[in-house]
Amino acid sequence: MTFISKTQHADVVLIGGGIMSATLGAFIKQLEPTWTISMFERLDEAGLESSGPWNNAGTGHAALCELNYSPAAKDGSVDPTKAIHINEQFQLSRQFWSHLVDSKVIGSPKGFINTVPHMSFVIGDDHANFLKTRYEALKPNTLFRSMEYSEDQAQIAKWAPLIVKGRDPKQRVAATRAAEGTDVDFGALTRELTGYLRSSGAEVNFGHDVTNISRASGGGWDLSIKHAKSGEHGKIHAKFVFVGAGGGALHLLQASGIPESKGYGGFPVSGQFFRCNDSSITSRHNAKVYGQASVGAPPMSVPHLDTRYVNGQRSLLFGPYAGFSTNFLKSGSYLDLPLSIRPGNIIPMLAVAKDNMDLTAYLIKEVAKRHDAKVEALREYYPEATGGDWELITAGQRVQIIKKHPQKGGILQFGTEVIASRDGSIGALLGASPGASTAVPIMIELLQKSFPKNFKGWQSKLKDMMPGYGVKLNDNPELAAELEAGTARSLQLDSAPALRS
């Protein structure tokens, strides 16, 4: 038979072979080793869509450099609360990955994570004043106490030479730097986790597309599956289903018919990056340098000049240049957006369209931007850049959440959202950044919502795997220093200077 799935029943079915499904599967295998798991991925390998290294920036999102996680208020002040929360979430991810490495469940961490300092870099008086205010708001906090600030071009050049050389010495610039930042290849990590699932008895099926989900008469769910190459169809029954299909999650969630899915829509945003593999250039930049988003731009369009490690090779990435496509997946269909419209979400979607005309105009402008204009945007961060050294690549699709709003009718929401049925038998994840970096806490939230009776009994095991679980590290400097140093050793990372014991 060409249809390779041999299982007709599973305790858990994971739809999608990305970082979210792989993380959830790894958790379940650690917590309940006897549960049967089947994963279905429509492509030929794990981690090829949004988790793929060239489909995202690979930033281990810890709010060390991303200015949109700590925007200025109307009075100019900066509230560090969200940035601290995101950093706490990333610390959990580090702890879980460290546990898996130490347990020899996955291989060398160098294959998926490397130390790359995180920097914010801004130009002009207003932006410099904001960055200094942000630094002063974050610096007193435990998780940000290693952060450095400078407006001295000579000092910034020591951190990241490319962004200073060739710049007007009279131009006011400002930068912050956190030496403990990371670059993460989420595609490689996804394949490590998927390999662990397979070696521990889970069934992992590539080239299989889940085409429908329906409630089974005796409880649980019946899934219809199509083998992509042969066209053969099959079915599998699951006690629990996780829809971790990235941009494809909305369609399947709608097919399930659960009340919790009503009213949700999706707004797809595509993008492109410049990539440089010239070692004479890449060797001179070791940082992820994030700037300020343009007016009207979505948060994922924040310009950044990043060091990347993919398959052991060091590259530079600049972008993203936002665009628009009606695909919900990079390998999806132009009909994804129109086919997602339902009676329950058409009002929120129309309301969002009306209230986000500036975003639409921005995306149209970006799509029309010529190559020379894209190079000019690069030169704001790398003044001596030459267009011929960079190739333009297409990034992954991001589908932002549209949801009902009592006053506005609908709102466009950036970030991620966990959706679970009332009976806990099906869960899904919608949205995008910070996404992969916070997969561990997101999947813990899903486990709590979907398995409330089991969750209490899992507490001690979760604490064993992640000693910082349930603790606010920002309020516990000694534990924060201990865990930061411990995970740095396990993951072969540099430890933050101000947190070294």
Side-chain angles (χ1 to χ4, degrees):
M1 283 183 71
T2 311
F3 184 74
I4 63 174
S5 176
K6 302 177 181 65
T7 305
Q8 274 73 53
H9 300 273
D11 293 318
V12 175
V13 165
L14 306 171
I15 304 176
I19 187 63
M20 294 298 173
S21 290
T23 299
L24 180 59
F27 263 123
I28 291 173
K29 274 300 175 186
Q30 291 281 302
L31 297 169
E32 297 289 347
T34 63
W35 286 11
T36 57
I37 298 175
S38 289
M39 173 187 281
F40 295 94
E41 164 58 45
R42 66 200 294 265
L43 301 179
D44 293 331
E45 190 179 339
L48 293 182
E49 272 283 351
S50 295
S51 303
W54 300 122
N55 290 334
N56 59 70
T59 304
H61 285 293
L64 297 170
C65 59
E66 308 93 323
L67 302 180
N68 53 298
Y69 294 147
S70 50
K74 289 182 179 180
D75 63 359
S77 63
V78 172
D79 182 354
T81 304
K82 184 176 181 180
I84 293 169
H85 176 64
I86 289 174
N87 194 296
E88 295 269 13
Q89 289 184 309
F90 186 64
Q91 298 304 323
L92 274 185
S93 292
R94 279 180 59 136
Q95 290 166 49
F96 185 58
W97 300 338
S98 297
H99 164 75
L100 297 178
V101 169
D102 292 342
S103 304
K104 302 192 184 311
V105 164
I106 60 177
S108 170
K110 281 296 180 187
F112 68 87
I113 189 168
N114 287 275
T115 300
V116 174
H118 284 193
M119 292 178 59
S120 300
F121 177 75
V122 296
I123 302 167
D125 290 340
D126 290 344
H127 291 322
N129 292 338
F130 158 70
L131 189 63
K132 188 172 184 180
T133 300
R134 177 182 183 269
Y135 166 76
E136 290 170 346
L138 290 174
K139 178 71 173 178
N141 293 281
T142 298
L143 297 177
F144 294 87
R145 65 188 185 191
S146 70
M147 185 176 282
E148 303 170 84
Y149 176 86
S150 181
E151 295 187 19
D152 179 4
Q153 288 199 21
Q155 176 59 59
I156 297 171
K158 292 179 181 178
W159 293 340
L162 295 187
I163 66 175
V164 173
K165 195 168 186 298
R167 189 173 298 279
D168 180 353
K170 295 180 181 179
Q171 186 180 54
R172 186 182 177 190
V173 296
T176 57
R177 181 177 185 265
E180 73 273 23
T182 53
D183 172 71
V184 186
D185 181 343
F186 288 106
L189 176 58
T190 299
R191 287 186 285 279
E192 286 281 350
L193 296 175
T194 305
Y196 160 56
L197 292 180
R198 178 173 270 160
S199 66
S200 59
E203 185 184 74
V204 178
N205 303 291
F206 296 124
H208 284 61
D209 193 12
V210 177
T211 58
N212 194 39
I213 304 175
S214 59
R215 280 198 181 273
S217 57
W221 297 88
D222 290 327
L223 284 72
S224 299
I225 302 163
K226 181 180 178 181
H227 186 261
K229 291 182 179 177
S230 70
E232 188 175 353
H233 292 265
K235 286 187 177 294
I236 186 170
H237 174 80
K239 294 179 182 178
F240 171 78
V241 175
F242 172 61
V243 187
L250 181 59
H251 288 298
L252 291 171
L253 191 61
Q254 290 172 334
S256 74
I258 61 171
E260 292 81 3
S261 70
K262 305 298 183 186
Y264 281 96
F267 183 83
V269 178
S270 62
Q272 295 177 316
F273 283 103
F274 270 139
R275 179 173 64 190
C276 175
N277 292 321
D278 185 337
S279 60
S280 68
I281 298 173
T282 63
S283 63
R284 293 157 56 206
H285 184 84
N286 183 37
K288 288 184 179 288
V289 180
Y290 273 59
Q292 282 279 43
S294 304
V295 175
M300 83 288 292
S301 296
V302 172
H304 43 95
L305 180 63
D306 293 358
T307 295
R308 299 300 318 272
Y309 287 91
V310 178
N311 297 325
Q313 181 180 1
R314 182 162 155 177
S315 303
L316 289 186
L317 205 67
F318 179 79
Y321 299 99
F324 180 75
S325 168
T326 54
N327 291 34
F328 276 5
L329 291 165
K330 190 174 179 179
S331 60
S333 164
Y334 289 119
L335 296 176
D336 287 343
L337 176 58
L339 290 178
S340 72
I341 299 172
R342 298 286 190 277
N345 67 16
I346 191 167
I347 291 177
M349 292 181 78
L350 288 172
V352 165
K354 177 178 67 70
D355 294 340
N356 288 273
M357 294 302 293
D358 57 339
L359 173 58
T360 303
Y362 167 80
L363 294 175
I364 292 172
K365 180 182 176 183
E366 285 290 294
V367 170
K369 187 176 284 186
R370 302 180 66 162
H371 186 271
D372 289 349
K374 292 177 179 177
V375 174
E376 281 304 310
L378 167 62
R379 288 185 181 132
E380 288 186 33
Y381 291 83
Y382 175 15
E384 295 187 344
T386 301
D389 295 328
W390 300 76
E391 62 175 323
L392 199 61
I393 62 173
T394 301
Q397 285 289 100
R398 297 292 181 267
V399 180
Q400 304 303 324
I401 303 165
I402 293 175
K403 59 190 296 187
K404 288 182 178 179
H405 188 277
Q407 283 80 43
K408 298 182 179 180
I411 57 170
L412 184 63
Q413 178 175 302
F414 296 100
T416 51
E417 185 153 339
V418 173
I419 298 169
S421 62
R422 183 175 297 179
D423 65 0
S425 65
I426 185 170
L429 186 75
L430 299 179
S433 185
S437 301
T438 55
V440 168
I442 289 171
M443 290 302 101
I444 292 174
E445 179 186 349
L446 181 75
L447 288 169
Q448 187 171 16
K449 286 185 174 183
S450 300
F451 302 99
K453 293 180 180 178
N454 305 80
F455 196 77
K456 187 175 181 180
W458 292 339
Q459 296 297 296
S460 61
K461 179 64 175 175
L462 290 170
K463 192 74 174 176
D464 287 343
M465 293 189 287
M466 300 166 292
Y469 171 68
V471 179
K472 290 188 176 180
L473 293 182
N474 198 59
D475 298 336
N476 292 269
E478 291 185 6
L479 181 61
E482 177 186 340
L483 293 180
E484 195 277 340
T487 57
R489 283 193 299 271
S490 296
L491 298 175
Q492 300 176 30
L493 302 171
D494 295 339
S495 187
L499 294 178
R500 288 176 185 151
S501 54

